[in-house]
């Protein structure tokens, strides 16, 4: 066998693959269901024809399993939502040489999380859905296609995530404080969600709180903007992190855990489940309820306004702009 000739042909084949279009590379990969589904939603097909970035391509078997599990591929709105969640524009993610997690924002608006594991790379999507394994990575002329063995499911809304994650005490407290629908309508925020055990541990304190004090406490658990655990790990510590109450938080990575402190906590809360993805929200489950300093003048001054004014300001900002909402309250 002529090895030189073989390697010339191999190199030619490789560079040809690398220079080929997304559609041609996908076709060459022999996974046809994704392309067929994309072709049934013309705007998605158009977007992918000139797409640069990272495409996660579920195998035929993965997509068949999703349909068998009840996904209605004839519902083109739902289909477009799922397909757009597989395409992350911007700097192509090769999957090579990354540590920690990488969060890639998709055309659907929510991120997927890529995690290096001993067997390769896993992609995490909606909370409670199985992680997808990258089974093959292929370059195309605008980036990379990663063939995966599970369909990625866009994150559910925060209420469904709280239910699936058993965050029932948090939800009850939000309801008691009249904040449940407000929180359900938020986007672009990070929620620090105490476990049921964390709420049980402050039951005697909670019994003495006024509704306004409970509101302050709960709003101290919502940070404007998206903060991933990797942001904290990279920064090592973040001081005076703003929340939707006037209280601030100190967040620290101590080498193994992410710890979060509020003024009245004797010891910081530890993140026990990081980066739970909800629709336009990231949730970190914590083992301690964050207790701001309810005696601090700035904390109470904010709530000097009549509580009905405060509530209506809050209900106005559901789903729109947290920045505007905060300026309304403060
Ligand atoms: C993708 O990149 C190519 C080459 O740089 C460019 O011509 C094209 O406009 C880009 N497509 C999009 C949607 O940005
Ligand atoms: C699937 O979606 C299509 C289009 O929205 C709809 O007509 C059909 O009834 C749906 N099928 C099921 C089983 O829900
Ligand atoms: C939620 O609670 C149920 C029942 O206690 C348990 O089976 C399930 O594993 C819990 N789920 C999570 C995500 O903790
Ligand atoms: C999300 O919130 C952060 C912090 O308030 C803000 O800087 C950013 O512009 C917001 N992003 C979007 C898309 O609204
Ligand atoms: C980091 O915090 C966790 C939780 O409080 C603790 O168990 C661990 O020992 C701490 N690690 C270091 C290096 O301080
Ligand atoms: C809480 O605020 C009060 C009033 O400003 C102050 O005296 C006290 O030291 C603060 N406590 C903590 C733990 O920061």
């Amino acid at each position: 066998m002529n090895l030189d000739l073989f390697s010339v042909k191999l190199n030619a084949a490789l560079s040809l693959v690398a220079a080929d279009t997304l559609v041609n590379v996908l076709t060459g990969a022999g996974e046809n269901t994704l392309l067929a589904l994309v072709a049934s939603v013309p705007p998605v097909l158009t977007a992918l024809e000139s797409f640069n970035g990272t495409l996660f391509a579920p195998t035929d078997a993965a997509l068949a399993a999703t349909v068998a599990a009840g996904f209605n591929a004839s519902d083109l709105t739902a289909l477009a939502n799922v397909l757009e969640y597989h395409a992350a524009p911007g700097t192509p993610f090769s999957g090579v040489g990354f540590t920690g997690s990488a969060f890639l924002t998709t055309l659907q608006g929510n991120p997927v999380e890529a995690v290096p594991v001993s067997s390769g790379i896993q992609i995490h999507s909606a909370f409670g859905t199985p992680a997808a394994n990258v089974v093959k990575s292929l370059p195309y002329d605008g980036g990379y296609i990663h063939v995966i063995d599970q369909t990625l499911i866009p994150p559910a809304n925060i209420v469904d995530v709280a239910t699936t994650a058993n965050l029932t005490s948090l939800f009850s407290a939000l309801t008691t404080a009249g904040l449940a629908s407000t929180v359900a309508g938020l986007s672009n925020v990070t929620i620090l969600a105490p476990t049921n055990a964390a709420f049980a541990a402050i039951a005697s304190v909670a019994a003495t709180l006024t509704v306004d004090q409970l509101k302050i406490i709960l709003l101290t658990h919502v940070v404007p903007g998206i903060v991933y655990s990797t942001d904290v790990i990279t920064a090592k510590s973040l001081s005076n992190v703003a929340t939707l109450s006037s209280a601030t938080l100190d967040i620290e990575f101590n080498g193994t855990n992410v710890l979060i402190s509020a003024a009245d906590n004797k010891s910081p809360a530890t993140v026990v489940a990081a980066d739970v993805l909800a629709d336009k929200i990231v949730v970190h489950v914590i083992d301690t309820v964050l207790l701001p300093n309810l005696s601090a003048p700035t904390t109470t001054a904010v709530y000097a306004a009549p509580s009905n004014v405060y509530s209506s300001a809050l209900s106005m900002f559901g789903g729109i702009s947290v920045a505007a909402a905060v300026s309304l309250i403060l």
Side-chain angles (χ1 to χ4, degrees), residues 37-72:
L37 291 175
V38 166
S40 70
V41 196
V44 176
L45 179 62
T46 304
L48 288 187
E49 275 167 351
S50 65
F51 178 74
N52 297 315
T54 312
L55 181 76
F56 296 100
T59 58
D60 290 351
L63 289 164
T66 302
V67 170
F71 178 74
N72 182 356

Side-chain angles (χ1 to χ4, degrees), residues 49-135:
E49 275 167 351
S50 65
F51 178 74
N52 297 315
T54 312
L55 181 76
F56 296 100
T59 58
D60 290 351
L63 289 164
T66 302
V67 170
F71 178 74
N72 182 356
S74 306
D75 178 343
L76 297 187
T77 306
L79 180 61
N81 196 41
V82 168
L83 293 174
E84 286 170 353
Y85 189 56
H86 286 77
T91 309
F93 173 72
S94 69
V96 176
F98 78 114
T99 53
S101 291
F103 293 89
L104 287 82
T105 300
T106 66
L107 293 177
Q108 190 266 350
N110 280 296
V112 298
E113 179 184 10
V115 183
V117 292
S118 57
S119 57
I121 303 167
Q122 281 189 338
I123 310 298
H124 295 205
S125 59
F127 179 72
T129 60
N133 296 291
V134 172
V135 295

